[in-house]
Amino acid sequence: MTQGFRTAWYSVLGTFSAGAVQIPLVVLGLAAVFKQSPALFMAVKLAGAVYLAYLGIKALMRCRSRR
């Protein structure tokens, strides 16, 4: 909310979209696939960690440039 209504609305839409994708994937057995392939699960976890690090660095750079 500190970044305005539009940004908050995009966040809500993103969260809703993630749920709309995640739930059917889990129901269809993605969890079973990950259970059978620990390497694939680790790759997905690492990709998520890299993406979160990217978002964090991007946010820090944005805050730094405002000063």
Side-chain angles (χ1 to χ4, degrees):
M1 289 303 296
T2 61
Q3 295 177 355
F5 177 78
R6 181 176 290 181
T7 303
W9 181 243
Y10 288 150
S11 177
V12 168
L13 289 176
T15 302
F16 177 77
S17 299
V21 170
Q22 238 176 0
I23 292 169
L25 287 176
V26 171
V27 170
L28 293 174
L30 188 59
V33 172
F34 284 153
K35 186 176 181 181
Q36 295 298 316
S37 178
L40 179 61
F41 182 58
M42 182 59 71
V44 171
K45 284 182 8 180
L46 288 174
V50 168
Y51 181 63
L52 287 175
Y54 164 76
L55 290 177
I57 291 168
K58 189 175 168 184
L60 289 173
M61 297 300 258
R62 186 175 60 234
C63 288
R64 190 173 186 208
S65 69
R66 288 184 182 177
R67 291 182 181 184

